[in-house]
Amino acid sequence: MVTEQLVELTEQNAEVSFDLKKGETILIGRSPDRKSPNQILVPDINVSNKHIELMAHPEGVVAKDQKSTNGTAVDGEWLRPGIPFALRNGSIILLGKNGTAFLKVLIEAREDQTQSVRVIRTSPKVETEVESEGSTSAVA
């Protein structure tokens, strides 16, 4: 039995978890799609309606750009549309070349061959600014 989830990640640090069996997917985009049981909605102008898909395999999780308008980068490498790209635990996904939507993906393989996939909306830029502010106040 496939469980259906539709979650919107609007806030920083908002997160969602999925347990995926081999071949099950998560569609990430700006608008809901009736054909996809597991979806994450990211309301950002740089995110395509169907932007990227994550798919579980017994040996891990792959990401596939769905011919998005603005592109997708994983850990700083731009994906070619339709070509699967293996994710690692802690991968950072950027949705759109000028995008502000960063997603951190945490993956845990389970004994029953399912993949636990946790997606967190994050922003590396915010973390960098906080570090520099801390350095300035420590000097002052």
Side-chain angles (χ1 to χ4, degrees), residues 7-18 26 28 40-42 54 87 89-95 100-107 116-124 127:
V7 179
E8 190 170 342
L9 295 182
T10 55
E11 305 285 323
Q12 292 293 359
N13 300 318
E15 64 179 78
V16 62
S17 294
F18 295 87
I26 304 167
I28 301 173
I40 298 174
L41 302 182
V42 181
L54 308 181
L87 296 178
N89 186 35
S91 283
I92 300 289
I93 299 173
L94 169 61
L95 303 175
T100 55
F102 291 88
L103 304 175
K104 184 173 188 174
V105 181
L106 301 172
I107 303 163
S116 172
V117 180
R118 197 167 95 198
V119 180
I120 305 165
R121 186 159 183 179
T122 187
S123 175
E127 292 170 12

Side-chain angles (χ1 to χ4, degrees), residues 58-107:
E59 55 281 344
V61 176
V62 297
K64 194 185 316 181
D65 183 275
Q66 299 295 296
K67 298 181 182 173
S68 63
T69 306
N70 296 316
T72 305
V74 175
D75 297 327
E77 186 171 332
W78 290 99
L79 304 186
R80 291 178 47 203
I83 307 294
F85 185 88
L87 296 178
R88 61 175 179 75
N89 186 35
S91 283
I92 300 289
I93 299 173
L94 169 61
L95 303 175
K97 289 186 172 138
N98 298 317
T100 55
F102 291 88
L103 304 175
K104 184 173 188 174
V105 181
L106 301 172
I107 303 163

